Amino acid sequence: MADVLATATLPAALGEWVQGWIKGRELIVSLVTAWHGSVELCILREGDAFRLAGRKAAGAFASAKEIFSGEGMNPFPDDCFLNIINPHPPSRGLGTSTMDVAGTYASAAAYAGAPLSEERLFSLCCGIDPGDGIMFKGLALVDYIKGELIERLPAPPAMSAVAVIPYRTLDTDDYMEGGLREASKECFREHERAYDTLKMGLERGDPSLAAMAATISAEASNKIMPREDWDVLRETCDLTGALGIAAAHAGTASALLYAEGNKFGADLAERMLKDSFSGHKVTVR
């Protein structure tokens, strides 16, 4: 068995509550889920199985070993490795890259004995790759390009989600470089309205307003990047009493959002979506 030196666990995202041009720059509020992934800093023994760290996590590890070294810190053993425990598919908008990169920095800092605030962790992550705000308590409006915290927000009211995760992918780099980000500027009024609605919903603890905000933002995203599953999502939302639709703006995943007590509607939506996408490369969960 590997000798685990430190572990960091972070939640996955399911797209965003809001992503778009707010206050003159593109900002996001990640929709944080109860799904998790972990990064272990460990010394591997012969025969141990592990997931090889990808390019971004490996870059974060090299950076972390430089940053968290020095007087008073635990030195990193020459034979220490990263074990990435992330069961979520990449390039769908689930925050997998941020989970890997943030987990790498956080586990390295924990082992070295270095203090690491949420704000600094986010900034370090965005130095490697545009990141999701999954490391903040509650929710946070963040600049995912510059790695800046703009505003802390309350946690969302209790809700449930039925997720639709296509096999088709959209990597953050493709979103950034493929013209989608620039095109989204045309929807800045919708983005600002979505954020104002979300903030009001969070402050009031109103799930209907929070879901309305997600829908406004998802609809704006669908204008510039039409989703193959949008019509099915819209119809299922209307027929099952969903409060709204959330979407990954730089990814392909989406979700129907339900009031906590509407288990019947969520279960019905899951069955309907599985029937609708039967034979297609889509996962519903």
Side-chain angles (χ1 to χ4, degrees), residues 154-184:
M159 303 169 71
S160 61
V162 177
V164 176
I165 306 174
Y167 280 51
R168 69 182 189 277
T169 61
L170 176 64
D171 189 79
T172 304
D173 292 340
D174 296 330
Y175 172 80
M176 297 287 290
E177 298 168 7
L180 293 171
R181 180 170 182 255
E182 285 301 308
S184 72

Side-chain angles (χ1 to χ4, degrees), residues 30 41 47 49 96 142 202 244 284:
S30 297
L41 179 63
T96 53
V142 298
L202 297 177
V284 179

Side-chain angles (χ1 to χ4, degrees), residues 4-9 38-41 85 103 106-107 110:
V4 178
L5 306 177
T7 302
T9 299
S38 299
V39 176
E40 293 178 342
L41 179 63
I85 308 169
S107 59

Side-chain angles (χ1 to χ4, degrees), residues 195-215:
Y195 180 65
D196 291 343
T197 303
L198 176 65
K199 188 173 179 181
M200 185 184 304
L202 297 177
E203 290 174 345
R204 294 181 180 179
D206 186 335
S208 297
L209 283 175
M212 182 188 299
T215 305

Side-chain angles (χ1 to χ4, degrees), residues 137-160:
K137 295 181 178 65
L139 296 178
L141 177 69
V142 298
D143 184 325
Y144 73 111
I145 304 298
K146 296 182 178 179
E148 296 177 0
L149 170 66
I150 306 302
E151 185 175 8
R152 288 184 179 271
L153 299 165
M159 303 169 71
S160 61

Side-chain angles (χ1 to χ4, degrees), residues 81-247:
F81 289 83
L82 297 176
N83 184 23
I84 308 293
I85 308 169
N86 190 338
H88 311 294
S91 301
R92 308 303 203 282
L94 304 181
T96 53
S97 293
T98 304
M99 294 169 73
D100 293 352
V101 171
T104 297
Y105 276 117
S107 59
Y111 173 74
L116 185 62
S117 66
E118 294 169 347
E119 291 92 333
R120 191 179 183 211
L121 177 57
F122 181 65
S123 177
L124 289 171
C125 287
C126 293
I128 300 292
D129 188 56
D132 290 277
I134 57 177
M135 66 287 295
F136 293 99
K137 295 181 178 65
L139 296 178
L141 177 69
V142 298
D143 184 325
Y144 73 111
I145 304 298
K146 296 182 178 179
E148 296 177 0
L149 170 66
I150 306 302
E151 185 175 8
R152 288 184 179 271
L153 299 165
M159 303 169 71
S160 61
V162 177
V164 176
I165 306 174
Y167 280 51
R168 69 182 189 277
T169 61
L170 176 64
D171 189 79
T172 304
D173 292 340
D174 296 330
Y175 172 80
M176 297 287 290
E177 298 168 7
L180 293 171
R181 180 170 182 255
E182 285 301 308
S184 72
K185 286 182 179 179
E186 299 176 7
C187 300
F188 74 92
R189 290 183 179 84
E190 291 99 315
H191 300 157
E192 292 184 346
R193 181 162 68 93
Y195 180 65
D196 291 343
T197 303
L198 176 65
K199 188 173 179 181
M200 185 184 304
L202 297 177
E203 290 174 345
R204 294 181 180 179
D206 186 335
S208 297
L209 283 175
M212 182 188 299
T215 305
I216 295 168
S217 194
E219 287 175 339
S221 174
N222 193 60
K223 287 182 182 178
I224 64 165
M225 185 184 71
R227 312 176 81 88
E228 297 173 12
D229 45 17
W230 183 258
D231 289 344
V232 174
L233 287 169
R234 185 77 266 179
E235 182 181 17
T236 307
C237 178
D238 293 340
L239 291 176
T240 62
L243 297 177
I245 303 172

